[in-house]
Amino acid sequence: MAATALRADFYSLREIHSMKMHQALGLGKNLFTGYGEGHVLINAQRHDGNLIVTPDSVQPWGVADFASLTEQHFSMLLEMQPEVVLFGSGASLRFFHPKLMAALTNAGIGVDVMDTQAACRTFNILMAEDRRVIAAILAI
């Protein structure tokens, strides 16, 4: 069979089997809808500064900046009983010393470090999957 005929068959099959996919998000849950310098938008409402975000709550995170992070800043998240903690490190990806998250990892809680924009996007995906996720966000 000629390459042109194979290509035509491929395109006709693709058209027959294509479908639209839509993301299903939990109604009434927090959803990151944007971000910018020093803020994020959650359900289209602007929040400035560093935050702790769960599917049901948004609260200030009492950390001044990346350099001032302590074990206490992460161990306080244990009370919320998350399955996963996403740490948004600001405009760029920065890793902190593993001892800072020891309380979380010792409790079997996953911790993922990424820049704040990636943390916002990942939070939305995990929240839509009904995961117990927390985003600990440093402002961009």
Side-chain angles (χ1 to χ4, degrees), residues 37-129:
E37 190 173 332
H39 73 278
V40 294
L41 300 177
I42 300 171
N43 298 333
Q45 181 179 356
R46 183 183 172 125
H47 295 270
D48 294 309
N50 305 324
L51 301 170
I52 300 294
V53 181
T54 72
D56 302 310
S57 68
V58 179
Q59 60 187 340
W61 192 22
V63 60
D65 56 22
F66 184 84
S68 64
L69 285 168
T70 67
E71 292 174 50
Q72 185 73 14
H73 290 119
F74 291 95
S75 62
M76 66 173 273
L77 302 176
L78 282 171
E79 298 170 15
M80 298 177 182
Q81 300 179 331
E83 180 182 346
V84 178
V85 173
L86 303 173
F87 173 69
S89 63
S92 61
L93 178 61
R94 296 179 285 180
F95 292 95
F96 48 80
H97 195 282
K99 73 177 182 177
L100 296 182
M101 65 178 170
L104 294 169
T105 55
N106 290 341
I109 297 168
V111 179
D112 203 349
V113 178
M114 53 193 72
D115 65 57
T116 293
Q117 292 180 7
C120 292
R121 293 187 303 268
T122 304
F123 176 91
N124 287 349
I125 292 166
L126 294 176
M127 189 273 305
E129 294 175 351

